[in-house]
Amino acid sequence: MSEDNRNITPPKQDEKQKKQERLAEALRANLRRRKSQSRARTQVEQTKTHES
């Protein structure tokens, strides 16, 4: 175990792990949303250049 986890009881470790999993999922969702927004902006820009 690392020094950080020595004094943490197993229930606390479970809470910490669940929190890390929630944060990781939130980061993945954020990345998916940002990629989708970027793709949409790129399509709009391409459409504008083809219409001109």
Side-chain angles (χ1 to χ4, degrees):
M1 284 188 168
S2 69
E3 290 180 28
D4 295 345
N5 294 333
R6 273 192 222 160
N7 295 328
I8 298 176
T9 60
K12 293 268 186 188
Q13 286 178 332
D14 289 343
E15 290 175 25
K16 189 173 182 179
Q17 183 178 0
K18 287 179 184 178
K19 180 179 179 180
Q20 287 177 339
E21 290 170 0
R22 282 194 315 273
L23 290 174
E25 179 56 36
L27 286 172
R28 285 191 293 272
N30 188 351
L31 180 59
R32 284 191 294 266
R33 187 176 64 250
R34 288 174 43 211
K35 281 185 170 186
S36 177
Q37 289 172 344
S38 177
R39 287 185 197 115
R41 279 192 295 267
T42 301
Q43 288 177 348
V44 169
E45 289 173 4
Q46 289 176 350
T47 303
K48 286 182 180 180
T49 58
H50 290 300
E51 290 178 353
S52 297

